Amino acid sequence: MDLLRHLRLFVAVAEEGHFGHAADRLGMTQPPVSQGIRRLEDRLGVTLLTRTARGVGLTAAGADLLPRAAALLADAERFTEDAQRHRGAHTELRIGVVPQLPAWHIAAVVDGVRRAGARAVTTVASTVELVGAVTAGQLDCAVVHHPALVHPLECGQVVKLPAEFLVPAGRTVQRFAHLRELALAAAPRSHNTAASDLLVDSLRAKGLDPVLLPAPTDRDTVAAVAAGRAFGLTADPDLRTPGVDRVALGGEEFHLRVRLVWRPPTPELREVIEDALTGDRRGVG
């Protein structure tokens, strides 16, 4: 017998003074409530309620035991809440991120998870590697480039992070034609074929067909650009380095597109992570 469940029926009927009203409050029909009260009385060996034409009243035993039943239910609720807090304090969420995700967004994800009572453990890798790790259960979820082949994982919304072009310092770049002598420093095509091809197609639409210079991270991109060999893209508004200038070219087709992927069942704190990705960093010192 589920004692707490039957005590909940008893308290509801006693407080409502009516079986039908108690059933409505509990989201049940009346017969199971009546049957539950009878089972509780049989279990305890005492009559708790009196049934009259006007409704339901308490017996002497019922009046004496009602406060204790309510206290037991309240204590059980507090016990459950405390257990959930302890569980949350020890929850570890394994999150993967692509190298191009700005540090601000990574910090926002980790901080959001911490505020929700868990601990984030991050792994930085390519989209292909992250998708494989989530599929294999080695990660709980990952922030990957879009588009990408992510089947059989579930996906969140696509988030567009504004990006700017990085060019060698002092070089006049007012239109795409000024980039024709430079290679494109970007993640290797093997890291995510779909996103790489989309970037190249977008540049070709602007009259460019650059040689791809593999640059797995923003650091690699900056090094190639500072050396005067290439141009690149970054979604990190705080990236400022010697030998590199930032210029605004194109539009949303060059934004960094990312999305959260996970393996069913849905990982806890998914909404927390997506809120961090779409957060507004303005006004944050």
Side-chain angles (χ1 to χ4, degrees):
M1 176 184 179
D2 185 343
L3 180 60
L4 288 177
R5 174 177 176 274
H6 286 77
L7 287 179
R8 192 169 290 108
L9 298 179
F10 168 50
V11 171
V13 173
E15 291 179 348
E16 296 293 335
H18 193 280
F19 278 97
H21 295 166
D24 290 340
R25 167 174 156 181
L26 296 170
M28 303 170 61
T29 58
Q30 184 172 330
V33 176
S34 299
Q35 294 167 8
I37 294 298
R38 283 196 294 270
R39 290 194 185 98
L40 178 62
E41 290 176 330
D42 290 343
R43 164 74 180 275
L44 299 178
V46 297
T47 300
L48 301 172
L49 301 169
T50 59
R51 298 152 179 85
T52 68
R54 293 184 177 181
V56 179
L58 288 167
T59 64
D64 180 55
L65 294 174
L66 178 60
R68 297 172 65 181
L72 279 171
L73 292 174
D75 192 52
E77 183 68 24
R78 287 193 297 271
F79 178 86
T80 301
E81 292 175 353
D82 288 343
Q84 289 176 340
R85 280 195 293 271
H86 282 289
R87 178 174 180 268
H90 294 88
T91 296
E92 181 176 278
L93 196 67
R94 301 164 301 171
I95 307 171
V97 297
V98 289
Q100 291 74 26
L101 188 67
W104 186 92
H105 289 87
I106 296 176
V109 167
V110 173
D111 182 61
V113 170
R114 178 186 62 81
R115 290 176 182 273
R119 183 170 71 95
V121 177
T122 58
T123 297
V124 180
S126 70
T127 292
V128 169
E129 292 170 323
L130 293 176
V131 168
V134 175
T135 301
Q138 297 166 348
L139 293 174
D140 297 306
C141 56
V143 180
V144 301
H145 282 121
H146 172 78
L149 182 62
V150 298
H151 182 76
L153 303 180
E154 295 187 11
C155 304
Q157 63 178 312
V158 176
V159 179
K160 297 179 181 179
L161 304 179
E164 288 186 297
F165 281 79
L166 302 178
V167 300
R171 189 183 185 96
T172 300
V173 177
Q174 297 176 337
R175 55 183 184 273
F176 285 95
H178 294 153
L179 300 174
R180 283 178 181 160
E181 298 177 2
L182 298 174
L184 167 63
R189 188 170 182 269
S190 60
H191 283 198
N192 182 8
T193 302
S196 179
D197 289 349
L198 179 61
L199 174 58
V200 171
D201 288 344
S202 296
L203 289 170
R204 285 173 178 167
K206 300 297 183 180
L208 293 180
D209 191 9
V211 172
L212 180 61
L213 182 63
T217 69
D218 273 359
R219 289 185 177 183
D220 300 307
T221 298
V222 164
V225 174
R229 304 167 55 198
F231 68 92
L233 284 156
T234 183
D236 186 349
D238 297 321
L239 198 160
R240 297 285 192 278
T241 64
V244 176
D245 289 339
R246 303 171 65 102
V247 295
L249 289 173
E252 288 192 5
E253 68 268 38
F254 296 108
H255 286 186
L256 174 63
R257 292 175 173 84
V258 296
R259 70 192 315 179
L260 186 69
V261 298
W262 63 91
R263 185 180 63 161
T266 301
E268 297 178 8
L269 308 177
R270 178 178 64 83
E271 292 185 1
V272 170
I273 298 171
E274 292 197 310
D275 287 345
L277 292 176
T278 57
D280 188 349
R281 68 188 306 280
R282 290 175 297 181
V284 178

